[in-house]
Amino acid sequence: MKFKNLKLGASAIALATVLTACGGENAQQAKEDAKDAANNTEAAVTEEVDKTKENVEEKIDDLKTGIEEKEFAISLDDAVAKFKEAFDDDSIEISSVELDEDDGKYTYDIEGFKENKEYEASIDAESGEVLAQEEENDHDNDDSDDDVAIDFEKIISPKEAMEKALENNKGYVKSYEIDHNDDGKLVYEIDVEDGDDVELDAETGDIIHK
């Protein structure tokens, strides 16, 4: 009986040894799996951080690039045409146009008039979508300082105006506006970032002042 108990005890010890060995192997495998998972997670996080960093750097570089370097899907002429389409009236005269950026989106802000009404609209420079529009009566129509129409056939192109504005000037163009100044002259007002803003004659391209 004693020997039987010894045999059973030996078997139990052997089984315990096997289970311990298996348990050790499982623990080691679990440890390795956890380590691999941690490494994979770290690699995924690092990759995501790198992508985010690249996107931020691209946006910063894009903001440092002036509109003189950009080619928009919607040209100035396209924007004017879409402005008139928005109000379903091709006879509206255009009094001012501004191309500017707001929160990464470039838009044409256009103002026009006809008889006793004034019109305003914002048009996406890439999609051509009319983002906002407004029509109202011109209560100041009797004033001597009435709106004056832009003759687009007589003015130089925005590209040429920006190139002239950057001659002997540092920086890049943030925005431009075509409008009449206080003297009644039709001008390009060029907003130059990190440089001197420029006002130039919209017809001749001559610089009026920086």
Side-chain angles (χ1 to χ4, degrees):
M1 188 71 175
K2 183 182 293 185
F3 292 111
K4 184 177 181 181
N5 290 336
L6 287 174
K7 288 177 68 179
L8 288 173
S11 298
I13 292 171
L15 179 60
T17 301
V18 170
L19 291 175
T20 301
C22 291
E25 290 178 0
N26 290 338
Q28 182 63 30
Q29 184 63 47
K31 184 177 180 181
E32 291 178 358
D33 290 343
K35 184 177 180 181
D36 290 340
N39 289 337
N40 291 337
T41 300
E42 182 179 358
V45 170
T46 301
E47 183 179 357
E48 189 65 29
V49 169
D50 289 342
K51 286 182 179 179
T52 302
K53 184 179 178 181
E54 288 177 4
N55 290 336
V56 170
E57 289 175 347
E58 286 178 1
K59 288 183 178 180
I60 291 174
D61 290 339
D62 188 55
L63 289 174
K64 289 183 177 179
T65 302
I67 57 177
E68 76 279 1
E69 299 290 342
K70 300 181 184 297
E71 292 292 338
F72 297 102
I74 304 300
S75 68
L76 174 59
D77 291 339
D78 294 334
V80 169
K82 288 183 176 295
F83 175 86
K84 294 182 178 182
E85 287 174 8
F87 296 103
D88 194 25
D89 191 342
D90 193 52
S91 63
I92 296 175
E93 301 285 3
I94 307 301
S95 56
S96 71
V97 179
E98 181 178 15
L99 176 60
D100 200 358
E101 176 267 334
D102 183 24
D103 196 25
K105 178 177 291 187
Y106 289 88
T107 60
Y108 291 95
D109 294 320
I110 304 178
E111 295 183 1
F113 65 94
K114 179 183 177 183
E115 298 172 350
N116 64 335
K117 288 187 177 293
E118 291 186 338
Y119 307 83
E120 295 181 12
S122 293
I123 298 169
D124 191 302
E126 291 296 346
S127 68
E129 178 186 358
V130 178
L131 304 174
Q133 66 184 86
E134 183 179 355
E135 176 183 344
E136 62 181 8
N137 292 325
D138 181 8
H139 300 294
D140 300 323
N141 194 47
D142 294 333
D143 290 353
S144 58
D145 196 21
D146 289 342
D147 291 324
V148 180
I150 298 173
D151 187 344
F152 289 96
E153 294 184 358
K154 291 184 177 181
I155 67 173
I156 63 175
S157 68
K159 190 79 170 178
E160 185 178 353
M162 289 185 287
E163 289 175 352
K164 287 181 176 294
L166 292 176
E167 288 179 0
N168 302 315
N169 195 3
K170 60 183 179 180
Y172 56 93
V173 177
K174 184 179 180 181
S175 67
Y176 73 76
E177 182 175 8
I178 309 170
D179 201 353
H180 290 82
N181 64 11
D182 294 337
D183 297 327
K185 182 181 290 294
L186 185 61
V187 298
Y188 272 97
E189 296 177 356
I190 313 292
D191 184 0
V192 180
E193 189 75 11
D194 297 333
D196 297 320
D197 294 342
V198 178
E199 181 180 295
L200 51 85
D201 190 307
E203 295 184 6
T204 65
D206 294 335
I207 293 177
I208 297 173
H209 67 72
K210 288 186 179 182

